[in-house]
Amino acid sequence: MDRYRPRYHFTPPRNWMNDPNGPFQSGGEYHLFYQHNPSATEWGDIHWGHAKSLDLVNWTHLPVALAPSRELGERHCYSGCSVVNGGEVTLFYTSIGEGERNATSGAQQWMAKGNDLRTWRKPDINPVLTAELHGELRITEWRDPYAWKEQDGWRMLLGGRVNGKGCGMIYRSDDLEQWSFKGIFHRGDEWIWECPHLFRFGDKAVLFYSPSGPVRYVSGTIEGDRLTDVLRHGTVDYSGLEGFYVSTGFVDEKGRRVLLGWVPEGRGKDFPASLDWSGALALPRLVDLKPSGALAMSPVPELETLRGEERSFADVRVGPVPMNTGVRSTSFECSLEIDRRTLKTGELTVSVFASPCGRERTDVRLDLATNSIVIDRSNSSLFPNVHKSPIKGDLPPAGGAGLLRLRIFADRSIIEVFADDETCLTARVYPSLEDSNGIELRSSGEAVVSSMKIWEMKAAEIRTE
């Protein structure tokens, strides 16, 4: 049995997956595409995998949607988006080949069209966007189209580098086929921007981008095809390539803004278990915009349908001696409310995947003195080469609240943490011991956990059509 494959996070049927691509909902049915190597557990030969769902929890794998057209010089179908326009769905993606068609300087943006959500055709108009649109401006690492409709036509964002810095470029079209370059939408200080996308909130907008590190966002206003009046620069998830990367998003038929991201592996070299899959999808997150310009993020409530047996605790006093909850599980949700006043001078640690012998555990540690939270993986596994670097984040300001709310989702080899629905951290862990499944609490001083609930999480149904 594969003890590391998550039970309620989306995973490919086998082999490699990375970026989520082009999610949308139509007729009550969600569709997800993703970067996929159908023939190996490593990156390469990139196709678009495809799955559907009625609830963002249980999924059905469908046939591969896009494959590289070798006869047209394609080697990879990189990330992109989908546009639902009437009864037709258009997929935009970055087409990569060899030689002059390389990813650094020769990328092109292509489209594929479909009416039945099963078969996709690439029209002869391809490529629909080439670097010639930019005139004398030299853009490298140009990829990952994200398109949406404005009142005066279609817009598209693409990521890349200009003068050694990452940025997002914006384009306009009346018909999704003929595009014009409108300039640089927003610039960053990072060396690259991948997978830019945005959500609108009335007259405000939030731009997301992946800079080969923790996914970031900028909130502001769109004016004249530029992001202006910036309210806030923030971090979507502090883990980056250690747990949450290359996000994308869509608005569903309920008007909810849903954010998706890739959870990479961290097995390292010579992992002792032979696994025929690689990569997972983070839990779908609902996103909202706070008046401060900060993002609010929380897992979709549909996940509550997977909750099984519940254990509840109230007014738990925690000290330096570990408190064993008596719950043993590697697939659970844990919700805590912590009295901030008791944590002003100490740390509170929630240990998960803890072994009775004490040799393995993963610590989620809160420190209000430094306003920080960390997933400490230093003792997460006895395997020598798995990733064990800490994932550190900043806690949101208390804002006068007496309680700090913490949600931990553990799923065999994935841990996702949400603090006050604003700070998010994700990590991969690979316990070696069969009995590394305990949940414990301890504190450097005396802390009070006002409420704690732990639910065993049932497996999502992920099947193949």
Side-chain angles (χ1 to χ4, degrees), residues 256-289:
R256 304 184 305 176
R257 297 162 183 85
V258 183
L259 184 74
L260 302 173
W262 168 47
V263 182
E265 295 299 328
R267 300 171 192 161
K269 295 181 179 180
D270 303 319
F271 190 70
S274 178
L275 306 180
D276 67 354
W277 60 279
S278 181
L281 192 73
L283 298 176
R285 302 174 181 182
L286 297 188
V287 173
D288 207 346
L289 184 64

Side-chain angles (χ1 to χ4, degrees), residues 81-85 88-92 111-114 120 176:
C81 66
S82 61
V83 171
V84 181
N85 189 24
E88 187 172 62
V89 178
T90 301
L91 308 180
F92 288 100
M111 67 160 53
K113 293 176 176 287
W120 307 89
L176 293 174

Side-chain angles (χ1 to χ4, degrees), residues 296-314:
M297 292 170 283
S298 59
V300 294
E302 288 91 332
L303 286 161
E304 295 174 11
T305 62
L306 298 180
R307 287 176 175 173
E309 183 180 348
E310 176 187 334
R311 289 285 303 276
S312 296
F313 305 83

Side-chain angles (χ1 to χ4, degrees), residues 312-316 335-338 403 448-453:
S312 296
F313 305 83
D315 296 325
V316 180
S335 175
L336 304 98
E337 291 185 344
I338 300 137
L403 295 176
V448 176
V449 175
S450 303
S451 169
M452 179 169 66
K453 295 182 179 181

Side-chain angles (χ1 to χ4, degrees), residues 258-437:
V258 183
L259 184 74
L260 302 173
W262 168 47
V263 182
E265 295 299 328
R267 300 171 192 161
K269 295 181 179 180
D270 303 319
F271 190 70
S274 178
L275 306 180
D276 67 354
W277 60 279
S278 181
L281 192 73
L283 298 176
R285 302 174 181 182
L286 297 188
V287 173
D288 207 346
L289 184 64
K290 296 184 177 183
S292 65
L295 284 186
M297 292 170 283
S298 59
V300 294
E302 288 91 332
L303 286 161
E304 295 174 11
T305 62
L306 298 180
R307 287 176 175 173
E309 183 180 348
E310 176 187 334
R311 289 285 303 276
S312 296
F313 305 83
D315 296 325
V316 180
R317 295 194 175 275
V318 184
V321 177
M323 173 214 154
N324 191 333
T325 63
V327 178
R328 308 204 68 81
S329 176
T330 59
S331 186
F332 62 88
E333 175 190 350
C334 179
S335 175
L336 304 98
E337 291 185 344
I338 300 137
D339 190 333
R340 288 178 178 271
R341 295 167 299 180
T342 68
L343 269 185
K344 285 183 179 178
T345 57
E347 295 180 340
L348 176 72
T349 299
V350 183
S351 296
V352 302
F353 301 151
S355 64
C357 66
R359 289 191 296 164
E360 285 188 340
R361 69 176 189 273
T362 300
D363 291 338
V364 178
R365 191 165 57 248
L366 295 167
D367 185 349
L368 293 193
T370 60
N371 210 46
S372 63
I373 181 171
V374 61
I375 301 177
D376 182 346
R377 300 187 288 177
S378 57
N379 296 302
S380 63
S381 178
L382 298 180
F383 295 144
N385 297 325
V386 301
H387 295 193
K388 296 179 182 178
S389 58
I391 311 297
K392 298 179 180 179
D394 297 324
L395 289 170
L403 295 176
L404 186 152
R405 293 173 295 116
L406 186 68
R407 297 178 73 184
I408 301 171
F409 291 83
D411 194 6
R412 288 187 167 173
S413 61
I414 297 177
I415 297 174
E416 291 192 61
V417 178
F418 298 80
D420 280 343
D421 288 342
E422 185 175 323
T423 295
C424 301
L425 306 90
T426 306
R428 299 309 299 267
V429 293
Y430 306 90
S432 66
L433 303 175
E434 293 284 347
D435 57 358
S436 290
N437 56 10

